Amino acid sequence: MNDTVPPQFRGEPLRTLIDFASTGAAGSIRLRGAFGAPRQVLAAQTLDAVRPVLDAAQALAQQGHWCVGYVRYEAAPAFDASLSVHAANAADASEGPLAWFGVYHEMLPWPEPAPEAEVRVDWQAGIAQAEFERSLTEIHRAIADGEVYQVNYTAPLQGRVQGSAHDLFLALLRAQPGGFAACIDTGEEHVLSVSPELFFDWRDDRMLTRPMKGTAPRGATPEQDQALAAALAASAKERAENVMIVDLIRNDLSRVARPFSVRVPRLFQLQSLPSVWQMTSDVEALTREGTTLADVFAALFPCGSVTGAPKVSAMRLIRALEPAPRGVYCGAVGVLQPGGAATFNVPIRTVTLRGHAARCGIGSGITSGATAADEWQEWRHKRAFLDRASQPFELLETLALADGVLRHADAHRARMRQAAAHFGYAWDERHIDDTLNQLVRQHPAGLWRVRLLLTAQGQATAQAFAMPAAPARVRLQLAPSAFEAADSEFVRFKTTRRAHYDALAPTAPGVFDTLLWNRHGEITECTRGNIAVLQGGRWLTPALHCGLLAGVGRDHWLREGRLSEAVLRLDDLRRAEGLAFINSLRGWIDAELETSP
């Protein structure tokens, strides 16, 4: 078979894709390409076969081949029998070789973009919040007793996929770009990793590791985003968590390093991801002559950022608290280039598929200062990449068209442009204008509700629906519980992903909308518009950092000075001198609350 002919032109599907960012190390470049069926497969079904598989992969790479594959977390005892893991269970979704590498003669070009196929995944949490809290209590006990300093605790999400593995991978890659991504098809399972974390980059005798430890959510505004980043950078808890793992990796790396060559050139660097800020540090060394890939794994695997410290004790506690094998998640996924240069990620943000069954782990590092509420929220932030990729969505703007004039058109266009930049959607300003102008020409008179949609590929559509005049006064009901999605990007940006709002839409006769509030007891917005509260003779509207959409009407009245931002709590509703429902579509409508909080 001639490997210089791309498989897509031979009728053979591309089976494996890699998109590894440059690490910044000397000689490192972005690796982006595709592979067909492997010419040879190296697989370890037992612990005693893991090191020989790594030796064989390294030898073949040095002979001029590409090797792409993974090592499962449960392979750890192959390098150190004191490392505790679950035994692989053939009935479990994580069952498979402990190590697997496909061998290829050549990396082929990244495939040309194809029309997007819809892919959906319905995810179910693998752990209840009560169980999560019990596990944190046990970890805190172990920390207090001096058994561990930190434990990386995780749990799986389970899902069913509608669509192809490759389409899901591309959706995941759009949701979590710029890291160390791989889509590996072994024939039995697919590994879809879009991990932002570098495990190690090893070329010649230079070794770079970049542990990622320390997390903060992204902000609702540029100012809040920078404030959250600054708070992460200054956080004593997050820095302590990071430096614990840096010290562990320095110690691990010293096993294969030349004397006095281990150093930490960069500490506490912030990396911006679409849904979170992450803190990373670089640890470097020069490896001793004769060091093999298996030696590197014996020194470093699993990465300390996904175990905790000390590693042996942390993994023992993980084995006791986590009910099932982690699988490829928290193991290593990587590429060996012709000549032997090796780059592996730490496969967080990683989905494995067996048939239509999907599995993805989510976790965080638990230290003495960790609280169950904050860690649970961190897990929600970390799974945001799954929420983006698991259901298709379009960007949405709803405008009023009155007698041939679009109300606040420039502001709606600007807000959609910001959303497109955030989600990585293609944006063509002229195409948007042409779409809206055509609709306006078709509806020169009357009052219309215009629904403008934009796909990921930048295709815009617009529809107009006859709209009655806004009512003079409306009744609102208070949400019965805190709005769990208040910190979601699908709140901060307007899209067709609205199930979290629809679930709280009013059903009682005469109720216009539902007033939402967050877990801190702060008022946020309604499901279809913003809220204004009259207090002390001033109209106030909740601040964006409370978790709400920056409504176009809201921004208009803020600029006019009719509104001011404030943090408003449930108790403030009792003292309110007036309420108003506000949005660009319907304007300013006096409101009353049906029930008191």
Side-chain angles (χ1 to χ4, degrees):
M1 184 181 292
N2 180 2
D3 271 352
T4 63
V5 180
Q8 63 267 42
F9 297 122
R10 297 197 303 263
E12 176 188 329
L14 292 172
R15 295 183 56 170
T16 291
L17 301 170
I18 61 168
D19 188 3
F20 272 36
S22 169
T23 65
S28 169
I29 60 171
R30 183 183 183 185
L31 295 176
R32 192 170 194 255
F35 303 89
R39 303 302 294 268
Q40 181 180 352
V41 169
L42 308 173
Q45 303 291 347
T46 60
L47 288 171
D48 59 5
V50 172
R51 289 189 69 125
V53 160
L54 293 175
D55 290 339
Q58 183 178 20
L60 286 164
Q62 290 170 343
Q63 293 166 20
H65 299 279
W66 290 84
C67 297
V68 183
Y70 63 76
V71 179
R72 292 180 187 270
Y73 178 85
E74 285 71 38
F79 309 110
D80 184 343
S82 67
L83 299 178
S84 301
V85 297
H86 285 280
N89 180 350
D92 190 89
S94 67
E95 180 269 337
L98 292 169
W100 186 99
F101 287 87
V103 182
Y104 311 90
H105 288 336
E106 187 176 12
M107 182 169 71
L108 304 166
W110 188 266
E112 290 295 321
E116 276 193 36
E118 185 172 298
V119 60
R120 293 178 179 270
V121 188
D122 295 320
W123 291 102
Q124 302 295 324
I127 185 174
Q129 189 168 358
E131 182 182 352
F132 174 84
E133 292 173 354
R134 285 194 294 270
S135 293
L136 258 65
T137 297
E138 177 60 20
I139 293 170
H140 281 143
R141 180 208 58 77
I143 293 173
D145 290 348
E147 297 175 22
V148 290
Y149 303 115
Q150 178 186 154
V151 173
N152 195 76
Y153 177 58
T154 77
L157 303 170
Q158 308 285 354
R160 296 290 296 177
V161 179
Q162 302 174 44
S164 76
H166 276 74
D167 287 330
L168 177 56
F169 172 69
L170 295 176
L172 291 166
L173 193 56
R174 287 192 299 272
Q176 183 77 72
F180 302 90
C183 172
I184 300 174
D185 177 4
T186 70
E188 297 293 330
E189 69 179 339
H190 286 85
V191 175
L192 315 179
S193 181
V194 291
S195 174
E197 183 171 4
L198 174 68
F199 183 17
F200 66 82
D201 182 78
W202 185 38
R203 51 195 68 239
D204 299 322
D205 59 351
R206 297 183 178 274
M207 176 73 70
L208 167 67
T209 68
R210 186 171 290 152
M212 179 176 285
K213 191 57 65 178
T215 306
R218 299 301 302 268
T221 65
E223 296 77 16
Q224 187 196 15
D225 197 42
Q226 289 305 309
L228 289 167
L232 173 61
S235 169
K237 171 190 174 295
E238 302 290 355
R239 290 164 72 96
E241 186 177 339
N242 187 281
V243 82
M244 284 181 198
I245 302 307
V246 167
D247 285 345
L248 185 155
I249 289 177
R250 288 176 60 209
N251 183 66
D252 286 352
L253 197 51
S254 68
R255 299 180 184 178
V256 290
R258 297 181 197 172
F260 310 111
S261 71
V262 178
R263 64 191 194 97
V264 183
R266 283 171 292 277
L267 194 62
F268 309 142
Q269 299 294 301
L270 295 192
Q271 180 176 345
S272 62
L273 302 176
S275 57
V276 293
W277 287 98
Q278 299 269 198
M279 183 182 287
T280 68
S281 295
D282 284 6
V283 187
E284 298 178 346
L286 299 176
T287 54
R288 292 194 293 266
E289 186 176 353
T291 299
T292 67
L293 182 64
D295 293 335
V296 171
F297 269 82
L300 299 177
F301 188 84
C303 183
S305 63
V306 292
T307 62
K311 185 180 289 187
V312 171
S313 298
M315 289 183 67
R316 188 181 303 122
L317 194 54
I318 289 168
R319 169 66 178 83
L321 294 176
E322 297 183 13
R326 289 181 171 183
V328 178
Y329 172 63
C330 293
V333 170
V335 180
L336 282 78
Q337 300 178 54
T343 309
F344 282 79
N345 75 16
V346 180
I348 56 175
R349 319 292 196 273
T350 296
V351 175
T352 54
L353 297 181
R354 297 182 73 82
H356 293 288
R359 190 172 189 268
C360 180
I362 300 291
S364 61
I366 309 301
T367 60
S368 60
T371 67
D374 287 344
E375 296 300 322
W376 187 253
Q377 286 301 115
E378 182 175 320
W379 283 27
R380 286 173 53 84
H381 296 314
K382 286 179 174 178
R383 66 167 285 176
F385 83 104
L386 280 181
D387 295 333
R388 271 202 201 187
S390 297
Q391 292 182 28
F393 64 92
E394 295 172 288
L395 305 185
L396 168 65
E397 289 293 324
T398 308
L399 302 81
L401 174 59
D403 293 328
V405 178
L406 286 168
R407 188 181 301 158
H408 304 310
D410 289 344
H412 281 283
R413 189 186 300 107
R415 188 172 69 173
M416 181 173 269
R417 186 190 309 116
Q418 292 171 355
H422 175 81
F423 288 109
Y425 278 35
W427 178 260
D428 183 338
E429 192 101 14
R430 178 175 294 179
H431 173 53
I432 299 292
D433 289 344
D434 289 346
T435 301
L436 288 173
N437 290 336
Q438 181 180 355
L439 190 76
V440 170
R441 287 193 296 270
Q442 294 170 349
H443 301 82
L447 182 62
W448 304 88
R449 174 173 62 87
V450 174
R451 182 177 170 88
L452 175 66
L453 298 173
L454 184 72
T455 69
Q457 296 74 37
Q459 182 63 43
T461 58
Q463 294 176 285
F465 305 89
M467 184 173 70
R473 190 173 183 84
V474 295
R475 290 166 58 206
L476 306 176
Q477 68 179 18
L478 191 67
S481 59
F483 186 44
E484 285 296 319
D487 56 358
S488 166
E489 60 189 345
F490 291 103
V491 168
R492 301 196 308 272
F493 297 95
K494 192 167 184 177
T495 75
T496 56
R497 183 82 65 80
R498 292 186 55 81
H500 46 295
Y501 287 121
D502 294 342
L504 292 167
T507 57
V511 177
F512 183 76
D513 207 346
T514 303
L515 179 57
L516 310 176
W517 46 283
N518 64 25
R519 65 191 180 99
H520 302 296
E522 299 163 345
I523 301 164
T524 59
E525 60 183 342
C526 296
T527 72
R528 293 182 293 163
N530 294 116
I531 190 73
V533 178
L534 184 62
Q535 193 175 85
R538 298 172 59 222
W539 282 103
L540 306 174
T541 194
L544 288 179
H545 67 76
C546 297
L548 55 133
L549 178 70
V552 168
R554 173 186 181 277
D555 288 348
H556 170 73
W557 286 301
L558 283 169
R559 289 194 304 271
E560 277 196 346
R562 185 176 183 181
L563 274 177
S564 299
E565 277 193 332
V567 174
L568 298 169
R569 302 185 180 278
L570 290 172
D571 284 347
D572 292 321
L573 295 174
R574 295 191 180 94
R575 298 186 293 272
E577 300 157 16
L579 291 177
F581 172 95
I582 56 175
N583 68 13
S584 173
L585 180 67
R586 296 184 178 275
W588 185 291
I589 306 175
D590 289 340
E592 60 186 42
L593 194 62
E594 185 179 57
T595 57
S596 299

